[in-house]
Amino acid sequence: MQAITYSKYGGPDVVQISEVPTPIIKDDQVLIKVHAASVSSGDWRARSLILPKGFGLLGRLMFGIFGPRKPILGTELSGTIEAIGASVKKFKIGDAVVAFPDISMGAHAQYCAMKEDGLIVKKPHNLNFAEAASLCFGGTTALSFLRDKCGIQPNEKVLIIGASGSTGSAAVQIAKSFDAEVTGICGPNNVALVQSIGADHVIDYTKEDFTKNGETYDIILNCNGEIGFSDVEHSLAPRGRLGLILGNFKQLLGLERAPKKSGKKVIPGVAMTKLEDLELLAKLAENGKYKPLIGHTFDFEAAQEAHAMVDTGHKRGNVVLIMQEQPSDNLNMAANNAGANWHPFT
Ligand SMILES: NC(=O)c1ccc[n+]([C@@H]2O[C@H](COP(=O)([O-])OP(=O)(O)OC[C@H]3O[C@@H](n4cnc5c(N)ncnc54)[C@H](OP(=O)(O)O)[C@@H]3O)[C@@H](O)[C@H]2O)c1
């Protein structure tokens, strides 16, 4: 099969198309014919080793000390089941699925093997394959931080820094599904876009500094740039939480804390994902509450251009590679009326 591989860290030009063996599945695995796969900020970090401050050594331990340990990037994909192992019960050949290999990578290939009880769900019927390929990376991160780490509650005021990117655009929609009041921060070209995905308010970071506008928020979610507690202390409401999707090493170690008497919290960490999270994201999508935002699609052959777009730090939502021929997409994008009153948390 063909795959997009890399053998050294560097810019977009280190990725190339290579011929590699098609995975041979075990009894408990499925072989997925990959139709689309996102190129995420995770791929950018693994490819370039450009990491937040303090992560240098940890990054090499994770991705490979002298060069990449895993030659095929790609954390998430959509496709159809091509073959199943002898003991597989959950999926059958021809099922359209979404899979999230996450840090195991391997999605930028024509085929990908996954355990049937791994992070795989049926493709939401109302997403095309490109959208389905972007369900997981931003969605699971946003869900993990908003719901699990920051404990979002209905009617809370949530500020999302970097609202036009992959995690930010997912976070806007997921926070709205929790009935929060959402403010998104983005650049001037994306104000209308962030409004269109449901943000109640949008701040253009070239025109307004949110730390000086007198507003306070119950949750501030940082998806861009380095932010410390002292920068946003006065923008956090009593018991406000600063969720650091992007944080430096010191913050990740929990060494930056809010003073106890402030009642506020600094919450760093790594998104943790369970199968139920993917199932919830798929359900949110089917009920019209979450539609992964696709800014750019590229053919498989244009992988370097796709990576270059991610490297700008200004991609809109998700960048998707079309890996190979897709079955006719069910593009029934009409709003799912049955879902209009559906609520994920009741
Ligand atoms: N902790 C975890 O488990 C975890 C998981 C996933 C990702 N991450 C990290 O989270 C970060 C975001 O990931 P992503 O995939 O969402 O990235 P992304 O898709 O590249 O989005 C970045 C967004 O940031 C915005 N931006 C650029 N400059 C800005 C500024 N000065 N102020 C506010 N927004 C600005 C851009 O919007 P404009 O184009 O409108 O400027 C862009 O849409 C990455 O650093 C990634 O490594 C962490």
Side-chain angles (χ1 to χ4, degrees):
M1 70 170 182
Q2 290 192 310
I4 299 160
T5 61
Y6 77 132
S7 57
K8 60 178 181 192
Y9 299 117
D13 57 332
V14 301
V15 300
Q16 56 186 25
I17 297 176
S18 309
E19 200 60 39
V20 300
T22 303
I24 296 168
I25 51 170
K26 300 192 177 114
D27 284 357
D28 61 348
Q29 286 186 317
V30 297
L31 184 67
I32 304 169
K33 180 175 183 177
V34 181
H35 300 307
S38 78
V39 183
S40 66
S41 58
D43 294 311
W44 161 62
R45 293 213 182 273
R47 191 210 70 223
S48 65
L49 268 200
I50 297 171
L51 301 168
K53 206 158 73 191
F55 278 88
L57 179 61
L58 193 66
R60 281 197 183 261
L61 288 173
M62 221 174 125
F63 298 118
I65 294 186
F66 301 110
R69 194 176 298 122
K70 293 186 177 162
I72 306 175
L73 293 169
T75 61
E76 60 178 339
L77 63 91
S78 65
T80 47
I81 302 283
E82 178 85 359
I84 57 173
S87 64
V88 169
K89 300 252 177 330
K90 231 168 111 182
F91 298 100
K92 59 182 190 317
I93 291 171
D95 281 348
V97 293
V98 170
F100 188 35
D102 199 7
I103 52 170
S104 302
M105 303 276 188
H108 293 171
Q110 290 180 311
Y111 294 92
C112 183
M114 296 274 296
K115 279 192 163 193
E116 77 160 328
D117 61 1
L119 295 175
I120 316 179
V121 289
K122 298 258 175 74
K123 179 177 90 62
H125 69 276
N126 55 344
L127 298 186
N128 62 32
F129 278 96
E131 290 162 341
S134 304
L135 186 84
C136 303
F137 181 83
T140 56
T141 305
L143 193 59
S144 173
F145 271 83
L146 284 170
R147 182 194 62 188
D148 304 337
K149 297 183 194 297
C150 294
I152 188 172
Q153 298 298 318
N155 303 317
E156 283 198 317
K157 286 176 71 181
V158 176
L159 178 75
I160 294 159
I161 305 170
S164 53
S166 172
T167 48
S169 61
V172 168
Q173 298 176 69
I174 290 168
K176 284 307 297 175
S177 79
F178 280 87
D179 299 326
E181 181 183 329
V182 178
T183 302
I185 300 185
C186 61
N189 298 331
N190 291 323
V191 170
L193 180 81
V194 173
Q195 262 159 359
S196 76
I197 57 171
D200 301 288
H201 318 279
V202 182
I203 295 174
D204 170 352
Y205 59 72
T206 63
K207 296 208 176 103
E208 187 178 330
D209 178 350
F210 76 91
T211 63
K212 299 197 169 74
N213 68 6
E215 291 288 334
T216 58
Y217 302 92
D218 300 295
I219 297 176
I220 297 179
L221 208 57
N222 183 40
C223 310
N224 189 275
E226 197 172 316
I227 278 196
F229 177 72
S230 59
D231 300 316
V232 300
E233 180 174 4
H234 301 296
S235 303
L236 282 169
R239 290 186 298 283
R241 291 87 83 199
L242 170 62
L244 293 171
I245 288 179
L246 178 57
N248 60 34
F249 193 56
K250 194 174 150 203
Q251 289 170 326
L252 185 71
L253 291 180
L255 298 178
E256 182 176 305
R257 294 208 183 128
K260 232 184 180 153
K261 63 176 179 359
S262 74
K264 301 175 186 180
K265 279 190 180 151
V266 179
I267 305 175
V270 175
M272 304 303 282
T273 304
K274 304 176 289 297
L275 181 60
E276 300 87 87
D277 300 335
L278 255 61
E279 288 166 346
L280 176 59
L281 291 172
K283 208 166 176 193
L284 284 167
E286 288 196 329
N287 286 282
K289 309 256 176 187
Y290 170 44
K291 185 168 164 183
L293 181 62
I294 308 299
H296 324 263
T297 55
F298 291 87
D299 287 338
F300 176 41
E301 291 78 9
Q304 291 190 354
E305 288 155 48
H307 275 264
M309 171 61 71
V310 176
D311 282 26
T312 64
H314 292 282
K315 69 181 163 71
R316 290 177 139 186
N318 298 280
V319 168
V320 175
L321 285 174
I322 304 302
M323 298 302 297
Q324 58 182 328
E325 185 199 337
Q326 305 183 15
S328 70
D329 256 340
N330 176 359
L331 280 171
N332 176 15
M333 308 304 269
N336 181 341
N337 290 330
N341 296 319
W342 179 84
H343 196 286
F345 311 103
T346 52

